[in-house]
PDB file of all heavy atoms in Angstrom:
ATOM      1  N   THR V  81     -49.022 -65.828  81.046  1.00  0.00           N
ATOM      2  CA  THR V  81     -49.332 -66.504  82.335  1.00  0.00           C
ATOM      3  C   THR V  81     -50.273 -65.437  83.052  1.00  0.00           C
ATOM      4  O   THR V  81     -50.719 -64.462  82.526  1.00  0.00           O
ATOM      5  CB  THR V  81     -48.099 -66.655  83.188  1.00  0.00           C
ATOM      6  OG1 THR V  81     -47.522 -65.355  83.540  1.00  0.00           O
ATOM      7  CG2 THR V  81     -46.975 -67.425  82.469  1.00  0.00           C
ATOM      8  N   SER V  82     -50.542 -65.744  84.396  1.00  0.00           N
ATOM      9  CA  SER V  82     -51.481 -64.893  85.201  1.00  0.00           C
ATOM     10  C   SER V  82     -50.680 -63.761  85.961  1.00  0.00           C
ATOM     11  O   SER V  82     -51.336 -62.848  86.388  1.00  0.00           O
ATOM     12  CB  SER V  82     -52.273 -65.692  86.198  1.00  0.00           C
ATOM     13  OG  SER V  82     -51.473 -66.285  87.223  1.00  0.00           O
ATOM     14  N   CYS V  83     -49.434 -63.914  86.059  1.00  0.00           N
ATOM     15  CA  CYS V  83     -48.683 -62.776  86.850  1.00  0.00           C
ATOM     16  C   CYS V  83     -47.202 -63.220  86.844  1.00  0.00           C
ATOM     17  O   CYS V  83     -46.796 -64.375  86.471  1.00  0.00           O
ATOM     18  CB  CYS V  83     -49.196 -62.813  88.299  1.00  0.00           C
ATOM     19  SG  CYS V  83     -49.030 -64.351  89.249  1.00  0.00           S
ATOM     20  N   GLY V  84     -46.390 -62.301  87.424  1.00  0.00           N
ATOM     21  CA  GLY V  84     -44.992 -62.590  87.501  1.00  0.00           C
ATOM     22  C   GLY V  84     -44.693 -63.851  88.474  1.00  0.00           C
ATOM     23  O   GLY V  84     -43.739 -64.583  88.131  1.00  0.00           O
ATOM     24  N   SER V  85     -45.495 -63.962  89.484  1.00  0.00           N
ATOM     25  CA  SER V  85     -45.182 -65.077  90.430  1.00  0.00           C
ATOM     26  C   SER V  85     -45.356 -66.357  89.668  1.00  0.00           C
ATOM     27  O   SER V  85     -44.649 -67.336  89.807  1.00  0.00           O
ATOM     28  CB  SER V  85     -46.165 -65.040  91.614  1.00  0.00           C
ATOM     29  OG  SER V  85     -46.006 -63.849  92.325  1.00  0.00           O
ATOM     30  N   GLU V  86     -46.419 -66.498  88.813  1.00  0.00           N
ATOM     31  CA  GLU V  86     -46.756 -67.750  88.119  1.00  0.00           C
ATOM     32  C   GLU V  86     -45.580 -67.958  87.174  1.00  0.00           C
ATOM     33  O   GLU V  86     -45.093 -69.086  86.914  1.00  0.00           O
ATOM     34  CB  GLU V  86     -48.035 -67.605  87.292  1.00  0.00           C
ATOM     35  CG  GLU V  86     -48.321 -69.071  86.716  1.00  0.00           C
ATOM     36  CD  GLU V  86     -49.476 -69.077  85.584  1.00  0.00           C
ATOM     37  OE1 GLU V  86     -50.453 -68.362  85.831  1.00  0.00           O
ATOM     38  OE2 GLU V  86     -49.310 -69.688  84.602  1.00  0.00           O
ATOM     39  N   SER V  87     -45.108 -66.820  86.509  1.00  0.00           N
ATOM     40  CA  SER V  87     -44.001 -67.042  85.497  1.00  0.00           C
ATOM     41  C   SER V  87     -42.732 -67.587  86.231  1.00  0.00           C
ATOM     42  O   SER V  87     -42.068 -68.543  85.743  1.00  0.00           O
ATOM     43  CB  SER V  87     -43.653 -65.714  84.826  1.00  0.00           C
ATOM     44  OG  SER V  87     -44.825 -65.094  84.229  1.00  0.00           O
ATOM     45  N   ASN V  88     -42.390 -67.149  87.365  1.00  0.00           N
ATOM     46  CA  ASN V  88     -41.343 -67.563  88.128  1.00  0.00           C
ATOM     47  C   ASN V  88     -41.496 -69.101  88.549  1.00  0.00           C
ATOM     48  O   ASN V  88     -40.581 -69.885  88.500  1.00  0.00           O
ATOM     49  CB  ASN V  88     -41.055 -66.818  89.453  1.00  0.00           C
ATOM     50  CG  ASN V  88     -40.549 -65.418  89.120  1.00  0.00           C
ATOM     51  OD1 ASN V  88     -40.048 -65.192  88.006  1.00  0.00           O
ATOM     52  ND2 ASN V  88     -40.614 -64.485  90.071  1.00  0.00           N
ATOM     53  N   ASN V  89     -42.703 -69.361  88.957  1.00  0.00           N
ATOM     54  CA  ASN V  89     -43.010 -70.758  89.409  1.00  0.00           C
ATOM     55  C   ASN V  89     -42.888 -71.738  88.144  1.00  0.00           C
ATOM     56  O   ASN V  89     -42.343 -72.820  88.313  1.00  0.00           O
ATOM     57  CB  ASN V  89     -44.351 -70.931  89.970  1.00  0.00           C
ATOM     58  CG  ASN V  89     -44.458 -70.607  91.470  1.00  0.00           C
ATOM     59  OD1 ASN V  89     -44.358 -71.652  92.257  1.00  0.00           O
ATOM     60  ND2 ASN V  89     -44.345 -69.402  91.866  1.00  0.00           N
ATOM     61  N   MET V  90     -43.440 -71.243  87.049  1.00  0.00           N
ATOM     62  CA  MET V  90     -43.349 -72.037  85.830  1.00  0.00           C
ATOM     63  C   MET V  90     -41.926 -72.388  85.449  1.00  0.00           C
ATOM     64  O   MET V  90     -41.607 -73.537  85.051  1.00  0.00           O
ATOM     65  CB  MET V  90     -44.073 -71.406  84.713  1.00  0.00           C
ATOM     66  CG  MET V  90     -44.196 -72.032  83.436  1.00  0.00           C
ATOM     67  SD  MET V  90     -45.144 -71.113  82.265  1.00  0.00           S
ATOM     68  CE  MET V  90     -44.998 -72.144  80.863  1.00  0.00           C
ATOM     69  N   ALA V  91     -41.119 -71.346  85.559  1.00  0.00           N
ATOM     70  CA  ALA V  91     -39.701 -71.590  85.103  1.00  0.00           C
ATOM     71  C   ALA V  91     -38.911 -72.541  86.024  1.00  0.00           C
ATOM     72  O   ALA V  91     -38.451 -73.494  85.489  1.00  0.00           O
ATOM     73  CB  ALA V  91     -38.968 -70.157  85.125  1.00  0.00           C
ATOM     74  N   LEU V  92     -38.977 -72.274  87.390  1.00  0.00           N
ATOM     75  CA  LEU V  92     -38.277 -73.061  88.289  1.00  0.00           C
ATOM     76  C   LEU V  92     -38.816 -74.470  88.489  1.00  0.00           C
ATOM     77  O   LEU V  92     -38.148 -75.478  88.324  1.00  0.00           O
ATOM     78  CB  LEU V  92     -38.063 -72.452  89.611  1.00  0.00           C
ATOM     79  CG  LEU V  92     -36.877 -71.512  89.778  1.00  0.00           C
ATOM     80  CD1 LEU V  92     -36.874 -70.397  88.857  1.00  0.00           C
ATOM     81  CD2 LEU V  92     -36.673 -71.011  91.195  1.00  0.00           C
ATOM     82  N   ARG V  93     -40.137 -74.542  88.588  1.00  0.00           N
ATOM     83  CA  ARG V  93     -40.799 -75.855  88.815  1.00  0.00           C
ATOM     84  C   ARG V  93     -40.674 -76.686  87.476  1.00  0.00           C
ATOM     85  O   ARG V  93     -40.599 -77.916  87.530  1.00  0.00           O
ATOM     86  CB  ARG V  93     -42.177 -75.756  89.256  1.00  0.00           C
ATOM     87  CG  ARG V  93     -42.282 -75.244  90.606  1.00  0.00           C
ATOM     88  CD  ARG V  93     -43.686 -74.900  90.912  1.00  0.00           C
ATOM     89  NE  ARG V  93     -43.957 -74.641  92.312  1.00  0.00           N
ATOM     90  CZ  ARG V  93     -44.931 -75.201  93.023  1.00  0.00           C
ATOM     91  NH1 ARG V  93     -45.780 -76.068  92.619  1.00  0.00           N
ATOM     92  NH2 ARG V  93     -45.007 -74.833  94.311  1.00  0.00           N
ATOM     93  N   GLY V  94     -40.798 -75.937  86.415  1.00  0.00           N
ATOM     94  CA  GLY V  94     -40.754 -76.581  85.165  1.00  0.00           C
ATOM     95  C   GLY V  94     -39.340 -77.320  84.930  1.00  0.00           C
ATOM     96  O   GLY V  94     -39.292 -78.381  84.341  1.00  0.00           O
ATOM     97  N   VAL V  95     -38.332 -76.637  85.361  1.00  0.00           N
ATOM     98  CA  VAL V  95     -37.010 -77.281  85.195  1.00  0.00           C
ATOM     99  C   VAL V  95     -36.774 -78.412  86.235  1.00  0.00           C
ATOM    100  O   VAL V  95     -36.257 -79.447  85.946  1.00  0.00           O
ATOM    101  CB  VAL V  95     -35.850 -76.161  85.440  1.00  0.00           C
ATOM    102  CG1 VAL V  95     -34.478 -76.856  85.548  1.00  0.00           C
ATOM    103  CG2 VAL V  95     -35.905 -75.125  84.330  1.00  0.00           C
ATOM    104  N   VAL V  96     -37.178 -78.003  87.458  1.00  0.00           N
ATOM    105  CA  VAL V  96     -37.019 -79.118  88.530  1.00  0.00           C
ATOM    106  C   VAL V  96     -37.753 -80.354  88.191  1.00  0.00           C
ATOM    107  O   VAL V  96     -37.334 -81.390  88.282  1.00  0.00           O
ATOM    108  CB  VAL V  96     -37.506 -78.549  89.981  1.00  0.00           C
ATOM    109  CG1 VAL V  96     -37.548 -79.672  90.899  1.00  0.00           C
ATOM    110  CG2 VAL V  96     -36.572 -77.475  90.439  1.00  0.00           C
ATOM    111  N   ASP V  97     -39.030 -80.245  87.655  1.00  0.00           N
ATOM    112  CA  ASP V  97     -39.792 -81.392  87.330  1.00  0.00           C
ATOM    113  C   ASP V  97     -39.151 -82.131  86.038  1.00  0.00           C
ATOM    114  O   ASP V  97     -39.010 -83.358  86.062  1.00  0.00           O
ATOM    115  CB  ASP V  97     -41.173 -80.867  86.828  1.00  0.00           C
ATOM    116  CG  ASP V  97     -42.291 -81.912  86.899  1.00  0.00           C
ATOM    117  OD1 ASP V  97     -42.181 -82.842  87.761  1.00  0.00           O
ATOM    118  OD2 ASP V  97     -43.108 -81.949  85.939  1.00  0.00           O
ATOM    119  N   ALA V  98     -38.534 -81.363  85.155  1.00  0.00           N
ATOM    120  CA  ALA V  98     -37.861 -81.941  83.959  1.00  0.00           C
ATOM    121  C   ALA V  98     -36.675 -82.746  84.475  1.00  0.00           C
ATOM    122  O   ALA V  98     -36.184 -83.613  83.752  1.00  0.00           O
ATOM    123  CB  ALA V  98     -37.633 -81.016  82.976  1.00  0.00           C
TER     124      ALA V  98
END
Side-chain angles (χ1 to χ4, degrees):
T81 65
S82 66
C83 59
S85 302
E86 186 192 324
S87 304
N88 287 347
N89 271 264
M90 183 176 177
L92 267 65
R93 288 173 173 228
V95 171
V96 170
D97 200 33

